[in-house]
Amino acid sequence: EAQVTQNPRYLITVTGKKLTVTCSQNMNHEYMSWYRQDPGLGLRQIYYSMNVEVTDKGDVPEGYKVSRKEKRNFPLILESPSPNQTSLYFCASSLSGAEQYFGPGTRLTVT
Amino acid sequence: AQKITQTQPGMFVQEKEAVTLDCTYDTSDQSYGLFWYKQPSSGEMIFLIYQGSYDEQNATEGRYSLNFQKARKSANLVISASQLGDSAMYFCAMRDWALTGGGNKLTFGTGTQLKVEL
C-alpha cells in the first residue's frame, strides 16, 4: 500500500531536549516536505527536499533541521525544542508536479 | 506572493443538502493548481479534488465538485448531498507551477470547519 508514515504520532517533551520525527514514504517520490499546522494559520511549509542530499528552507524553518540521506526518508530534527514549536506536524511526498500525499501527522507538545 | 483566502471559519449544513465552501486565491502566474483537502477530527489530511489553471472543465470527484472561476480567482468546493461523515475541516491549497523553489510547496488557506446536522 502506498503510504507516508511518521513516528511518533504523539510526543510530549521538555524545552531543550533534542528530538527527531521520522518520515518515510514507499512511493519512490522525489519531493518531500514538512509542514506545521497551527490553529487559524493553516499549514505552513518548514523544509523541503527535491531529492537525495538536496534540501532547502520553506516559510518557517527557524528551529528545525532536516536531512535526506535516502530517497524514502526525510527526518525532522528539533535540536532545542521550545514551547512555540508545539504544533501538529505533517510530512508529505509527491512526484514532480503532482498531488501531495500526507503522513498521518505528529502532535508535538513542548513544555 | 501566493495567498489563499477562506473567509468562512465555520459552516453548518443539514444532512442531504448541498454546501459551498469558498476559496479565493491570489497569484500573478498563469500556471497553477488548486487543491482541496479534508481533515477529519482524527487529524489526517485527505485529498479531495484538483483543478489545473488550464483545465477547461470544472473538476468533479463523486459528490465533490470544484467551481472554478478563473477571472474571479475563486475555486469553491461544492459538496452535494451532505453526509454526517462530511463534518470536518476543509482546506483549500494552491501549487504554483511557475515557482522554481519550494519543492512542490502547497500554500494553504486557514480552513473552514463544516458541521453536518441531522
Side-chain angles (χ1 to χ4, degrees):
Chain A
E1 182 194 350
Q3 61 181 354
V4 179
T5 57
Q6 292 178 229
N7 281 293
R9 295 288 312 280
Y10 303 91
L11 180 59
I12 301 174
T13 189
V14 295
T15 298
K17 187 176 180 184
K18 181 179 178 180
L19 67 92
T20 298
V21 184
T22 65
C23 173
S24 184
Q25 51 94 4
N26 62 1
M27 296 167 279
N28 203 36
H29 286 168
E30 294 98 354
Y31 292 87
M32 297 186 76
S33 288
W34 277 102
Y35 293 85
R36 62 177 287 172
Q37 182 182 0
D38 302 291
L41 296 176
L43 280 77
R44 295 174 292 167
Q45 190 187 51
I46 302 170
Y47 266 95
Y48 66 93
S49 169
M50 296 169 76
N51 215 323
V52 175
E53 303 292 1
V54 181
T55 64
D56 207 346
K57 297 176 181 177
D59 295 323
V60 287
E62 293 77 22
Y64 304 96
K65 284 175 59 177
V66 293
S67 69
R68 187 97 181 268
K69 294 184 169 46
E70 305 164 282
K71 198 171 187 178
R72 62 183 292 125
N73 296 325
F74 190 45
L76 179 71
I77 303 154
L78 285 73
E79 295 265 358
S80 182
S82 62
N84 65 12
Q85 292 178 298
T86 292
S87 189
L88 178 59
Y89 291 87
F90 287 99
C91 179
S93 75
S94 64
L95 288 171
S96 171
E99 169 201 341
Q100 295 207 19
Y101 293 81
F102 283 83
T106 295
R107 195 168 291 277
L108 172 66
T109 302
V110 183
T111 62
Chain B
Q2 303 167 80
K3 186 174 170 142
I4 295 279
T5 301
Q6 294 181 255
T7 56
Q8 306 153 314
M11 292 272 290
F12 290 89
V13 65
Q14 293 225 302
E15 196 182 21
K16 298 177 188 168
E17 298 288 311
V19 63
T20 298
L21 307 184
D22 293 342
C23 172
T24 58
Y25 60 92
D26 188 20
T27 181
S28 56
D29 292 303
Q30 299 301 310
S31 183
Y32 50 88
L34 295 153
F35 301 78
W36 277 92
Y37 284 86
K38 173 185 178 180
Q39 186 179 44
S41 57
S42 51
E44 71 268 31
M45 296 290 285
I46 301 168
F47 167 75
L48 294 178
I49 197 166
Y50 167 78
Q51 178 87 38
S53 59
Y54 292 117
D55 293 342
E56 301 269 329
Q57 308 259 10
N58 285 344
T60 60
E61 289 285 348
R63 293 186 299 110
Y64 304 107
S65 60
L66 199 153
N67 184 0
F68 180 47
Q69 297 188 43
K70 196 168 180 177
R72 297 180 61 186
K73 293 189 175 177
S74 76
N76 298 340
L77 178 71
V78 181
I79 306 175
S80 63
S82 298
Q83 302 171 355
L84 294 177
D86 293 333
S87 294
M89 179 73 89
Y90 289 81
F91 289 99
C92 181
M94 178 168 66
R95 163 69 169 103
D96 189 336
W97 302 134
L99 199 66
T100 53
N104 271 356
K105 179 178 87 170
L106 290 175
T107 299
F108 283 83
T110 52
T112 296
Q113 183 72 48
L114 177 67
K115 180 90 162 73
V116 181
E117 300 175 313
L118 288 168

